[in-house]
Amino acid sequence: MIDAGLPPRLERIGNKLNGPNTLGNSRAFWLAFAVGMVVMAAYPLIRGSYAAGQFSLFLAYGLLALSLSLIWGYTGILSFGQVAFFGIAGYTYAIVSLNLGGPLGQTVALPVAVAAATLSAFVLGYFMFYGGVQDVYVAILTLVVTLVLETFMAQTAGSEWSIGTVALGGFNGIPGIRNFALGVEGASLTLSGSGFYWFVLGVLLLAYLGARVLVNSKYGYALVAIREDAERTAMLGYNVKKVKLAVFTLSGALAGFGGVLYATWGNYMDPSVFSLVFATIPIVWVTLGGRESLLGAIVGTIIIERLRLWFSVNASEFAIVFVGVILMTTVLLLPRGILPGIRDTYVFFSEHGVREGLERGRVTVQTRIRTLLQSVGVDVSEPETPPSSEVVRE
Amino acid sequence: MTSGFGATSMLTPLIIGDVLGALDSIGVPVGQLLQMADSIAFIILAAIGLTVIFGMMGVINLAHGEFIMMGAYITTLSVNVLAVPLPVAMILGALGTAAFGAIVERTIVRRLYGRLLDSMIVTFGLGLILTQGTRIIFGNSLQSIGTPFGNVPGYTYSAYRVLLLLAAVAVLGGAYLVFTRTEFGIKARATIQDAETARSMGVDTDRMYTVTFAIGSGLAGLTGALYAPSATIVPGMGQSFLVESFVTVVTGGSTVLLGTTLAGGVLGTIDAIFSNLYGNFIGQIALLITAIIVIRLLPDGLTGLAHTVRDKLGERQ
């Protein structure tokens, strides 16, 4: 909770943003968040327009991560299909904006593209949730839909696959998408470099704050209840299917917005956005950062994408191996992700003090290593039974 | 047409050719049936390893495609490098993948029982590592070993692909026998049904999980081995089995072998018809739509339908 001493209006907003479903509700957190935002906003001034342009891709991906965190982390529905909505919006934006042309065309294309992603999510979600598809089957179906979309887009090389004047282009995709622009002919605003960066940062900030308000609202409580036990939530009188469909649709819209930003960032769309590897990447971001933490999802995205960029320059063939290793080690060793992990560590040490905390940590690590060794058949004789200790969670 | 193969390998296609010729002469649409058999075999073989692991253990192995790839690689490398005969190489492929599966179960999957989605993600990560690792070690493709037996006489159909249907039936039958008629099968099913009770009756449940996972992996490896002679051996080849295998799991429902058989039959027929008429992609779309419709109408898949029918018939008697 934000302490007293703030103007009542700010306090009201604060109360909506804070709650049990988000990490970081303290004044210290918001102070650090504000400092972080100032640093992020100053990034283009420090590193220049080109670096900012590069970085804005990560922020656009942040929207995709946020959408997955909402649907998976908060509602417990693992969707491999976020990239499908991301890609559908990107493709739609390309087709509409290139057909209409000019800044007005682009302005129209934005809502159309987001609507296309939203509608796709709604239709798929309707069939799944109202069809009683649950758990792993949702994951499988969304994955299959994504893979089928890839197959479809990859075979659209022929000239018969054109919408208006725009050819879908098969594997090569659609080139020549213009930089993000809003407005009408003569009075338009085209964004690139630093401008685009600030725009995406603003969109991501709004989406993040909006998602915080959502998950800390009554609706957000229903989402978490569904994640924890869908049947019991239904018993309590919630329309589980409807809530699931609504969140799925919303997260499709968010992913779609990210897709539009992606298309204008790279100035092209190709079927690789529907590929198996790209479908996994958002899951890696969110797993690493902490799926039950909205900020964690964004932080995870930035970390992974920085590293992927490094790999693609220095050791491109190992990039995917690295992604796989990160995914496996995070789930096995840090199942809740980095940000919740940091929070847990903080809580742990502030409860036990540094010295006792370190001792307990040492024992925990020893026990874990011993079980790991035993599981692969190495016999580790135990001198005495170590006291069982678990990381204390808040 | 067949040429350049030994007399023994000529024999099989000749027999098949004779049988098919006889059928054709009495008005059976052999061409279409071959097409269908091919699709059904593909779908059953693509799915069997996945469904055994999922149906018995409730774990979705997203590295399934990569296990298939591994079977194909071991087989191809055995033939190319060690120069062993093809059948031996195939057995090596299946066994090698089974051994790998056992290791994966012991080190990774074991920790994630009860965390179903997490086990999906971890196996997905494993799949990425396997695909790319294979690419780094063996390069972008292996030299293919070539399809044995040549074509069915009188048709443009490879006799080997017809044999794959027999292999699919044999695999289903074998799995059925193992899980229903052997002591291991009974223990494994007891473990799956109620691990606690099984343990108190003296069943080593940990071992059952490991062996079941190894069998599922081995079946995936066998699929890879069986398709090794006729497929392009590339690190990403597992992906071409993914859509079919997942759709089969979704459509089939919870009873492993019955579900796979029914789903394989239905989906294979649909795939054959649509792929034949409109191409591969429409075939996949048709499978996807079928899966969605089946799930919409039958939440427990085709097995659910089968059980309902059985119960209805039982009531009437």
Side-chain angles (χ1 to χ4, degrees), chain A residues 32-306:
Chain A
F33 184 79
V35 172
M37 282 310 295
V38 171
V39 172
M40 292 289 282
Y43 184 81
L45 305 176
I46 303 165
R47 300 292 309 273
S49 181
Y50 178 75
Q54 291 286 315
F55 204 89
S56 46
L57 175 65
F58 305 162
L59 298 178
Y61 282 157
L63 283 177
L64 185 57
L66 213 51
S67 81
L68 185 64
S69 175
L70 270 182
I71 192 74
W72 182 31
Y74 282 90
T75 324
I77 299 165
L78 176 53
S79 162
F80 279 96
Q82 297 312 103
V83 292
F85 310 131
F86 183 87
I88 286 172
Y91 264 104
T92 312
Y93 184 84
I95 292 161
V96 175
S97 71
L98 290 177
N99 266 316
L100 296 180
L104 183 61
Q106 284 182 274
T107 314
V108 173
L110 173 66
V112 172
V114 175
T118 315
L119 187 69
S120 321
F122 179 82
V123 171
L124 181 62
Y126 174 78
F127 273 102
M128 290 195 308
F129 302 128
Y130 281 81
V133 181
Q134 282 174 351
D135 304 330
V136 285
Y137 292 113
V138 173
I140 293 175
L141 271 187
T142 47
L143 181 62
V144 170
V145 166
T146 311
L147 293 181
V148 169
L149 270 175
E150 187 198 11
T151 319
F152 173 69
M153 292 315 301
Q155 54 91 54
T156 55
S159 55
E160 74 274 20
W161 291 102
S162 304
I163 298 178
T165 55
V166 181
L168 294 181
F171 268 118
N172 298 324
I174 306 176
I177 303 170
R178 262 164 302 177
N179 288 334
F180 192 84
L182 286 174
V184 292
E185 205 70 59
S188 67
L189 180 66
T190 302
L191 296 171
S192 64
S194 303
F196 185 64
Y197 173 88
W198 280 315
F199 174 72
V200 182
L201 185 64
V203 169
L204 185 59
L205 177 66
L206 282 180
Y208 170 67
L209 295 178
R212 274 190 79 115
V213 171
L214 175 73
V215 298
N216 283 321
S217 68
K218 286 245 167 70
Y219 214 78
Y221 291 5
L223 302 187
V224 174
I226 289 173
R227 176 188 78 202
E228 296 300 326
D229 192 330
E231 263 174 41
R232 206 172 287 178
T233 314
M235 298 292 195
L236 289 170
Y238 287 93
N239 188 340
V240 171
K241 288 173 182 169
K242 199 168 147 192
V243 176
K244 277 184 177 174
L245 179 58
V247 184
F248 194 73
T249 311
L250 174 70
S251 78
L254 259 182
F257 205 112
V260 171
L261 296 176
Y262 172 83
T264 53
W265 177 85
N267 305 112
Y268 69 91
M269 274 313 283
D270 70 8
S272 67
V273 293
F274 300 121
S275 69
L276 195 58
V277 171
F278 193 66
T280 341
I281 298 286
I283 294 184
V284 185
W285 301 332
V286 173
T287 306
L288 181 74
R291 76 184 79 143
E292 290 165 25
S293 158
L294 297 166
L295 193 60
I298 297 171
V299 170
T301 308
I302 292 173
I303 294 174
I304 293 279
E305 287 308 302
R306 281 308 305 212

